[in-house]
Amino acid sequence: MREEDSNWFARWEEELPSPEELMPLSQTLITPDLAIAFDIRNPNHQQRPPSQQAPPPPSAAAQPPSQPTSAEFAADSGDLGSGAAGDEPARTLKRPRLVWTPQLHKRFVDAVAHLGIKNAVPKTIMQLMSVDGLTRENVASHLQKYRLYLKRMQGLSGGGGGGAAGANGGAGGGASADPATDHLFASSPVPPHFLHPGRGNSEHFLPFVPVPALQHHHQQQQIVAAAVGHPHLQSQYHRQMGHFGSSPNGQFEHPFLARQTQQPIHRIGVGGAPPVHNQVPNSYVEDLESANGNGGNGGRKVLTLFPTGDD
DNA sequence: GACCTAATAT
DNA sequence: TATATTAGGT
């Protein structure tokens, strides 16, 4: 169905969050106070291409919440002070595991859809997603699982009706592939052509959408995806090409409002750092071993940056 | 080196 | 359980 395809193509970007909607995701994870308290430096100071002027340092005092300066990384588990990783905390540090929230996954799906299955390889996807801190491995791992999911979906898609857009919350239906396992994948609609790769004229409706062309606006935004050990080690390239288009229709709402955690962070007691009891933006939630599903869970620390709830 | 799949580890 | 990592191959 060409119509459907072009329809999809015409609408794909509508589903993308507009910059404004993206904002909550790109809010800095560390309040200025926190940053100061822990001597965390703004990644804006990273090395950048020679033609770029380093932006002025943020007035550490008061940052209007409406100005999503740049995304930051949250500090990692508590071994900041102890040389668990050795004196050279550098390269061998382990990042906290990434949590694929529905929002993040949606971005992933959008990227894959945008690229077309053909070009959707980890590296490309990663770049397209332009999520700060996201690694190729992260994407590769997720992609692997996602492919398996798609395969299963195809399998039970069967020849019949072909109504692939189930998208239900799991219980009840019974047509789900593996309801127990992939809630995440079910949270984002699977583009139609994902499921029907072969037949007919399937190849790429996206001849070549030069995404970078959208860079006109100097409005750069980053989304923090992962919590990384030592923020200042973050030498990620400064990725951008954040927003793809404008969408009058916001699917993104305010994912965080519901997640009000009055729990201030309680860790990282680095050398008598002042207890920052500031009103932390509810844009991130820290989940320390909140998964208690099974016994025998070692001290697993996970940073949940995006709401894990539905969207 | 990037990629893929499967298996295994955390 | 969800991710990460590794192995072995293209």
Side-chain angles (χ1 to χ4, degrees):
Chain A
M1 317 317 209
R2 280 257 304 275
E3 287 185 29
E4 282 186 4
D5 288 344
S6 46
N7 195 5
W8 151 258
F9 177 62
R11 292 186 8 163
W12 78 268
E13 68 177 52
E14 287 181 10
E15 307 205 348
L16 289 178
S18 72
E20 288 76 24
E21 291 159 336
L22 238 28
M23 249 181 55
L25 296 181
S26 55
Q27 272 183 340
T28 152
L29 290 174
I30 300 182
T31 64
D33 308 78
L34 252 186
I36 294 174
F38 296 114
D39 192 30
I40 289 167
R41 315 209 321 194
N42 193 311
N44 273 350
H45 300 156
Q46 287 173 3
Q47 345 172 325
R48 36 181 67 230
S51 51
Q52 265 277 23
Q53 293 273 4
S59 317
Q63 276 261 340
S66 47
Q67 186 75 342
T69 53
S70 72
E72 246 314 342
F73 282 85
D76 99 288
S77 14
D79 10 32
L80 264 185
S82 71
D87 301 305
E88 200 107 303
R91 17 213 143 207
T92 47
L93 264 186
K94 290 192 108 175
R95 311 170 159 239
R97 49 189 320 164
L98 173 69
V99 176
W100 285 91
T101 63
Q103 282 75 26
L104 192 53
H105 174 66
K106 183 177 193 307
R107 231 187 145 79
F108 168 85
V109 173
D110 285 340
V112 174
H114 185 212
L115 291 167
I117 307 195
K118 198 176 153 190
N119 299 324
V121 294
K123 193 176 183 179
T124 318
I125 297 173
M126 176 193 71
Q127 290 172 157
L128 227 191
M129 286 177 73
S130 78
V131 171
D132 205 0
L134 192 65
T135 69
R136 193 179 65 83
E137 322 269 24
N138 287 140
V139 176
S141 180
H142 193 65
L143 180 61
Q144 183 175 20
K145 208 186 158 193
Y146 186 59
R147 279 173 173 156
L148 290 175
Y149 169 75
L150 290 183
K151 197 180 278 182
R152 286 206 309 272
M153 291 299 278
Q154 293 188 44
L156 49 84
S157 181
N168 48 27
S176 276
D178 201 342
T181 49
D182 14 63
H183 338 192
L184 214 204
F185 294 142
S187 72
S188 278
V190 176
H193 42 284
F194 278 25
L195 298 175
H196 313 291
R199 275 342 181 183
N201 162 16
S202 69
E203 235 168 271
H204 50 295
F205 348 67
L206 310 183
F208 204 70
V209 182
V211 181
L214 299 168
Q215 277 183 346
H216 298 161
H217 308 101
H218 34 281
Q219 173 172 4
Q220 47 187 352
Q221 51 180 339
Q222 300 177 330
I223 298 182
V224 170
V228 136
H230 300 263
H232 45 279
L233 291 179
Q234 247 295 309
S235 56
Q236 289 284 347
Y237 309 126
H238 159 225
R239 305 192 185 105
Q240 45 179 356
M241 61 165 99
H243 59 288
F244 307 84
S246 50
S247 85
N249 181 359
Q251 292 208 338
F252 260 44
E253 308 191 348
H254 302 91
F256 308 103
L257 288 183
R259 262 289 186 171
Q260 277 228 354
T261 327
Q262 51 150 338
Q263 267 263 319
I265 22 194
H266 58 260
R267 51 92 175 290
I268 324 182
V270 156
V276 234
H277 50 257
N278 227 355
Q279 252 205 349
V280 296
N282 40 13
S283 48
Y284 69 95
V285 177
E286 186 188 52
D287 257 2
L288 292 189
E289 213 223 311
S290 58
N292 55 355
N294 245 328
N297 204 334
R300 227 187 181 164
K301 288 167 199 160
V302 174
L303 225 67
T304 307
L305 298 136
F306 298 133
T308 53
D310 50 4
D311 51 80

